[in-house]
Amino acid sequence: MSAAGEQALRSGIVATARAMNAAGINRGRSGNVSARLRHEAFDGFLITPTGFRYDAMGDDDLVVVARDGTATGPHLPSSEWRFHRDIYRARPEVGAIVHTHAPFATTLACLDRGIPPFHYMIARAGGRDIRCAPYATFGTQELSDHAVRALDGRRACLLAHHGMIAVGASLESALELAVEVETLAEMYWRALQVGEPVLLSDREMDVVMRKFDTYGQLRPAT
Ligand SMILES: [Zn+2]
């Protein structure tokens, strides 16, 4: 990646962090955003710093984290850098990660509930449901292990009593999916107020996943 490429990635991360708050899927200083950074001999990622207001954050405030966890930059990396690192390690197709405490997704996560296939757009997250990873203290390896497992075969998951993670080939696709997951969480929550939502069958969900695949909407940009 060229210096200009890295600069564009930095600007993209700052824009994405601000956009997630503007979209109402994150509030205050919680949440974080990262993008994979590949130089010739380096495989790591750029991530938002810990405890920073996004409107006050500039491109130079981001932190570089290497594959071994070594951080370089003017600030400490987000306290959740471990699950970012482990997702990039486990998922070579992932180019960007958005983590938010989106209100509706987090409400469901506080009930230890994932999102079942009540709506066909659940397939946008890569499978027949959106799982909820078990609770573990923020910033720990245990939480990271739970997150990687909940994301297996998926592009999004909830984190019990915490929030959600959405991944994508690019910052744009990760943010778009995070907004979609929050929209689905809100619709599921609303449906639960009225009754027990009726779920789509595995067969119907498989049809939708094949259709999405045909449209090329789910393929990582290479
Ligand atoms: Zn968090």
Side-chain angles (χ1 to χ4, degrees):
M1 181 180 286
S2 65
E6 179 177 334
Q7 192 49 47
L9 210 53
R10 284 176 177 266
S11 303
I13 290 171
V14 172
T16 303
R18 289 180 184 161
M20 71 179 183
N21 280 27
I25 63 164
N26 195 65
R27 289 176 191 164
R29 300 171 197 221
S30 57
N32 38 68
V33 178
S34 74
R36 194 190 289 271
L37 184 61
R38 272 204 185 103
H39 288 304
E40 273 171 29
F42 178 83
D43 185 14
F45 58 94
L46 274 162
I47 189 167
T48 46
T50 189
F52 229 77
R53 276 194 8 247
Y54 296 131
D55 55 357
M57 189 171 69
D59 297 356
D60 296 336
D61 289 315
L62 300 179
V63 185
V64 177
V65 180
R67 214 176 150 84
D68 65 2
T70 312
T72 323
H75 310 286
L76 290 174
S78 159
S79 54
E80 298 297 7
W81 63 268
R82 280 186 184 80
F83 69 60
H84 289 258
R85 176 197 60 187
D86 294 345
I87 292 167
Y88 290 124
R89 275 183 178 170
R91 302 282 294 271
E93 83 281 14
V94 171
I97 300 169
V98 169
H99 164 58
T100 87
H101 296 181
F104 285 96
T106 307
T107 299
L108 296 174
C110 290
L111 299 163
D112 277 355
R113 283 180 100 128
I115 312 179
F118 77 105
H119 190 292
Y120 78 91
M121 286 293 276
I122 288 291
R124 284 289 310 273
R128 293 172 180 167
D129 59 2
I130 298 172
R131 303 185 188 106
C132 182
Y135 180 76
T137 310
F138 77 94
T140 59
Q141 188 59 48
E142 190 186 5
L143 176 62
S144 176
D145 294 344
H146 289 330
V148 169
R149 253 195 308 277
L151 282 168
D152 186 32
R154 302 284 189 276
R155 282 179 288 274
C157 71
L158 308 187
L159 302 175
H161 312 281
H162 183 155
M164 68 133 112
I165 299 173
V167 307
S170 65
L171 284 160
E172 292 78 11
S173 59
L175 178 65
E176 194 182 322
L177 182 58
V179 171
E180 185 62 50
V181 171
E182 176 63 352
T183 304
L184 288 163
E186 180 175 356
M187 290 191 284
Y188 183 53
W189 182 88
R190 285 180 185 278
L192 284 169
Q193 310 311 305
V194 184
E196 192 54 40
V198 178
L199 304 184
L200 293 168
S201 67
D202 289 351
R203 196 180 62 80
E204 289 296 348
M205 288 302 287
D206 289 347
V207 169
V208 174
M209 283 188 280
R210 274 200 303 276
K211 235 169 136 69
F212 277 168
D213 206 33
T214 310
Y215 292 153
Q217 292 180 13
L218 299 178
R219 294 214 180 92
T222 49

